[in-house]
């Protein structure tokens, strides 16, 4: 069990906080960290989150020497990967991954053996982060690369519109909690054969000398790894103006799938606290951390 009381929010570096947490104490971690977008984010004036801001570009001056030494001494396989990744792309890749690695290592430590972690990112760094997660949590504990699809403005005539984020789903071990019944959606999503099944059609399949019949589950289907959830409407009640706010529906789906009532959910980059709100709605315990005090007001 965690020694930290339920509904606690820390406003300081999450690495410091997690290093003070008990090992094997958290059931589910969701994190929406900086994406290495190489720009400044700021909430608009007049919004609920006005004043909340953070920079999303990285230089070696942001990295403490102790983080680098720890990786070299205790996790040389991770340090080697970061060195290679830094030589392949932008100069900000190395400090960004050096920032993320010690935090992900602490997340693995505090996660229970049956726990799960969902890392929210986008195509900017998802390919590097997946390899980093493989090295920390193990390739065998990779479960899904979830694609959250949305639509909206910001198209271009130079390429296809970029309208998706990536959510990397890993577990700490091969024995983990997944509430498939809580994830089910109507068969009519996607149409086609699924729609016919939802209307009562029965599929028959020949297996050896016998015929196997399949009937649709009245509860719906377990969804695929591409989620079509709209981005937050500018006029929606849940919108705070926080520059990287994610829809409540995304967090409710994750928390419902990978935790039970009373379980402990940790968000180490909690921003405007959407994860904490979703956890409260679903009767989970929660701990939030964010370095920017203004983001939680």
């Amino acid at each position: 069990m965690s020694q930290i009381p339920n509904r606690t929010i820390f406003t300081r570096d999450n690495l410091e906080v997690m290093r003070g947490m008990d090992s094997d104490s958290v059931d589910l971690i969701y994190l929406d960290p900086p994406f290495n977008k190489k720009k400044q984010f700021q909430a608009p004036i007049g919004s609920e989150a006005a004043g909340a801001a953070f920079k999303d570009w990285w230089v070696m001056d942001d990295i403490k020497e102790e983080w680098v030494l720890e990786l070299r001494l205790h996790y040389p396989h991770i340090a080697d990967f970061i060195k290679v990744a830094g030589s392949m792309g932008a100069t900000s890749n190395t400090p960004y991954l050096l920032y993320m690695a010690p935090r992900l290592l602490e997340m693995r430590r505090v996660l229970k053996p049956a726990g799960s972690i969902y890392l929210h990112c986008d195509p900017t760094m998802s390919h590097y982060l997946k390899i980093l997660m493989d090295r920390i949590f193990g390739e065998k504990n990779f479960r899904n690369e979830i694609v959250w699809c949305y639509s909206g403005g910001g198209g271009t005539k130079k390429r296809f519109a970029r309208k998706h984020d990536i959510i990397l789903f890993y577990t700490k071990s091969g024995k983990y909690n997944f509430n498939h019944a809580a994830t089910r959606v109507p068969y009519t999503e996607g149409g086609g054969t699924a729609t016919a099944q939802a209307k009562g059609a029965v599929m028959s399949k020949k297996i050896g000398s016998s015929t196997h019949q399949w009937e649709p589950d009245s509860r719906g289907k377990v969804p695929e790894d591409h989620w079509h959830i709209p981005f937050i409407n500018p006029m929606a009640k849940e919108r705070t103006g926080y520059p990287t706010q994610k829809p409540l529906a995304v967090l409710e789906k994750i928390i419902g799938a990978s935790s039970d009532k009373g379980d402990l959910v940790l968000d180490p980059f909690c921003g405007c606290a959407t994860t904490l709100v979703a956890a409260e709605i679903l009767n989970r315990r929660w701990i939030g951390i964010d370095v920017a005090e203004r983001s939680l007001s």
Side-chain angles (χ1 to χ4, degrees):
M1 295 290 288
S2 170
Q3 81 279 22
I4 299 172
N6 181 29
R7 298 171 179 156
T8 297
I9 299 176
F10 294 92
T11 53
R12 62 177 188 265
D13 187 342
N14 55 28
L15 185 59
E16 298 174 6
V17 176
M18 289 189 290
R19 283 178 171 170
M21 294 177 64
D22 292 340
S23 299
D24 304 329
S25 61
V26 175
D27 297 282
L28 171 63
I29 298 173
Y30 167 86
L31 63 151
D32 180 18
F35 286 2
N36 196 22
K37 299 288 282 186
K38 305 169 187 64
K39 63 180 182 180
Q40 177 86 15
F41 288 91
Q42 188 165 352
I45 296 173
S47 69
E48 291 182 39
F54 66 92
K55 73 176 184 69
D56 191 16
W57 66 83
W58 302 85
V59 296
M60 287 304 296
D61 286 346
D62 298 320
I63 306 305
K64 293 183 178 180
E65 184 62 26
E66 66 186 72
W67 304 346
V68 180
L69 290 175
E70 181 183 14
L71 291 174
R72 288 175 179 169
L73 288 173
H74 301 294
Y75 307 97
H77 61 299
I78 294 175
D80 289 345
F81 159 66
I82 293 175
K83 183 178 180 180
V84 172
S87 69
M88 294 171 61
T91 56
S92 61
N93 289 358
T94 297
Y96 176 78
L97 293 170
L98 287 171
Y99 172 84
M100 290 297 300
R103 287 157 177 80
L104 289 169
L105 285 163
E106 282 302 307
M107 290 177 215
R108 186 185 184 284
R109 182 186 64 80
V110 303
L111 201 61
K112 289 182 179 179
S116 300
I117 180 169
Y118 289 76
L119 169 55
H120 198 132
C121 51
D122 76 358
T124 306
M125 293 296 291
S126 60
H127 44 308
Y128 295 115
L129 287 170
K130 186 174 186 299
I131 298 174
L132 184 59
M133 293 287 280
D134 282 347
R135 289 185 170 255
I136 293 174
F137 287 88
E139 290 180 59
K140 65 183 183 300
N141 292 321
F142 167 69
R143 305 301 165 197
N144 283 112
E145 180 176 282
I146 299 163
V147 181
W148 167 40
C149 307
Y150 45 85
S151 59
T156 174
K157 295 180 180 179
K158 299 288 187 179
R159 52 174 168 74
F160 295 106
R162 295 171 180 168
K163 299 297 175 184
H164 79 275
D165 282 7
I166 299 296
I167 303 173
L168 300 173
F169 170 25
Y170 282 75
T171 58
K172 190 170 181 177
S173 71
K175 295 182 178 180
Y176 58 96
N177 185 17
F178 188 75
N179 301 318
H180 66 87
T183 71
R184 291 184 178 273
V185 296
Y187 285 104
T188 48
E189 287 198 2
T193 303
T195 301
Q197 292 167 353
K199 293 179 179 178
V202 176
M203 290 180 62
S204 295
K205 183 177 182 180
K206 195 76 172 177
I207 302 178
S209 60
S210 62
T211 300
H212 175 73
Q213 289 191 331
W214 182 93
E215 295 185 5
D217 193 308
S218 61
R219 299 170 298 173
K221 66 175 182 179
V222 176
E224 295 81 3
D225 58 3
H226 48 92
W227 299 351
H228 296 265
I229 298 175
F231 218 97
I232 306 170
N233 186 297
M235 303 305 294
K237 186 177 180 181
E238 70 178 275
R239 178 170 284 281
T240 66
Y242 190 74
T244 58
Q245 183 180 359
K246 302 303 185 293
L248 190 61
V250 171
L251 276 303
E252 288 179 331
K253 185 181 287 285
I254 289 170
I255 293 170
S258 291
S259 67
D260 295 322
K261 289 182 179 180
D263 280 354
L264 180 60
V265 178
L266 168 66
D267 186 341
F269 294 89
C270 65
C272 61
T274 302
T275 305
L276 314 184
V277 172
E280 185 73 21
I281 291 171
L282 296 174
N283 297 309
R284 273 63 166 175
R285 295 176 296 126
W286 51 261
I287 296 171
I289 314 170
D290 201 277
V291 71
E293 184 173 345
R294 186 66 185 91
S295 68
L296 299 166
S297 59

